[in-house]
Amino acid sequence: MENIFIHHHWGTAIINGWHALPAALREVFSFQRNVHELKTLWPITKLMMSLMLLATIGSFLFGQDFGFNGWIGLITGMAVVLNLILVDQGRLTNYSWGLLGCAVWLVIAINNRLIGDIASQSFYVIMQFVGMAVWHTQLNEQGDQSELASRKFSWLDGLFWFVVTAVIYAIVLYFSKRLHGTQVYLDATLLPLGIVGQVLMTYGYRSQWVAWITLDLINVIIWFNQLKTVSPAATSMFVLQIIMLINALYGAYLWFYGQQAEKPANN
């Protein structure tokens, strides 16, 4: 079986996607579409979103960090929550919030000297533009243009991405040690897992959630350790990691099973 990396669909999606970028940008940042896609979320998803936003705001107030980093942490948390919720249901406007969340998260990662996280967030910022272009094209090609349909791939493809993850981890770990980063062994996992998760998400593969769940578990540990050292925006970011882990489990359910279960009711 062909590897998904060299499958003709990938090349076609990239070419068509970049041609569609201007139109994708208009749709992603359309105020009307953003409002519509939030209003039409499933009731259980709206409940998840409300609880996640309340937890984000609550952690900000509890942490009592009302300086610049604290407010940046709050903005990051709220943007990431909205991004994640919209990704769960395959909505294009997730990228408007994703771009905001990645940009402000990058500021926090720099302040905490998390080298792997800095590299990850820089990569995510670039991939927001790739993702919005490819998703816009794929949505136009499928019958139902409201939500991106999930795909699956073979175990050989999974083995390929496992090797890619291991190689990138070794590279990031080497540079993290040289740059005297924080929590280098854990922090070095963020970029490889983020690359794999983001690429698979961009092309609509449901196996992305394996990478995201693993990454979120590691992030919970990293930010718990940062919390103990009273690092900038650590309280907000620690709670955000827990929220992201819960959301990843919910997103995995939707992409593996939920779309099939809910589609008939929404037709």
Side-chain angles (χ1 to χ4, degrees), residues 9 13 134-142 148 151 202-204:
H9 170 77
V134 174
W135 273 41
H136 182 266
T137 299
Q138 292 181 350
L139 283 166
N140 287 335
E141 290 175 351
Q142 65 184 45
L148 189 73
R151 295 190 178 94
T202 298
Y203 293 94

Side-chain angles (χ1 to χ4, degrees), residues 40-170:
T40 55
L41 292 171
W42 302 336
I44 182 63
T45 307
K46 289 180 179 178
L47 176 61
M48 283 280 295
M49 179 180 68
S50 300
L51 293 174
M52 290 161 67
L53 287 173
L54 285 173
T56 301
I57 296 170
S59 68
F60 168 71
L61 297 174
F62 179 77
Q64 296 185 341
D65 181 3
F66 302 123
F68 175 76
N69 286 311
W71 284 102
I72 287 291
L74 175 63
I75 294 170
T76 302
M78 296 183 70
V80 168
V81 165
L82 293 172
N83 166 250
L84 294 174
I85 284 295
L86 290 163
V87 169
D88 288 345
Q89 286 200 216
R91 302 295 175 89
L92 181 65
T93 55
N94 82 81
Y95 288 103
S96 63
W97 300 102
L99 186 58
L100 173 61
C102 291
V104 290
W105 193 322
L106 180 58
V107 174
I108 295 175
I110 292 171
N111 288 341
N112 281 274
R113 296 189 63 199
L114 293 168
I115 306 302
D117 212 5
I118 292 170
S120 298
Q121 297 308 318
S122 299
F123 172 76
Y124 293 154
V125 168
I126 297 171
M127 286 301 295
Q128 297 309 300
F129 295 100
V130 179
M132 65 179 70
V134 174
W135 273 41
H136 182 266
T137 299
Q138 292 181 350
L139 283 166
N140 287 335
E141 290 175 351
Q142 65 184 45
D144 179 4
Q145 297 182 7
S146 63
E147 298 180 9
L148 189 73
S150 64
R151 295 190 178 94
K152 60 181 178 179
F153 56 68
S154 71
W155 68 270
L156 283 175
D157 296 325
L159 179 61
F160 168 79
W161 285 110
F162 177 80
V163 172
V164 168
T165 303
V167 170
I168 299 174
Y169 174 76

Side-chain angles (χ1 to χ4, degrees), residues 4 43 70 170 208 232:
I4 57 173
Q208 62 169 298

Side-chain angles (χ1 to χ4, degrees), residues 155-223:
W155 68 270
L156 283 175
D157 296 325
L159 179 61
F160 168 79
W161 285 110
F162 177 80
V163 172
V164 168
T165 303
V167 170
I168 299 174
Y169 174 76
I171 295 171
V172 175
L173 181 61
Y174 171 78
F175 283 104
S176 291
K177 287 183 175 180
R178 293 291 298 271
L179 294 170
H180 307 292
T182 305
Q183 303 185 62
V184 291
Y185 289 99
L186 288 174
D187 184 53
T189 64
L190 301 180
L191 181 60
L193 288 171
I195 288 176
V196 172
Q198 189 69 49
V199 171
L200 295 182
M201 170 193 158
T202 298
Y203 293 94
Y205 287 95
R206 65 189 190 183
S207 297
Q208 62 169 298
W209 294 106
V210 176
W212 293 134
I213 291 170
T214 305
L215 186 151
D216 291 337
L217 281 168
I218 293 171
N219 259 328
V220 168
I221 298 172
I222 287 175
W223 285 101

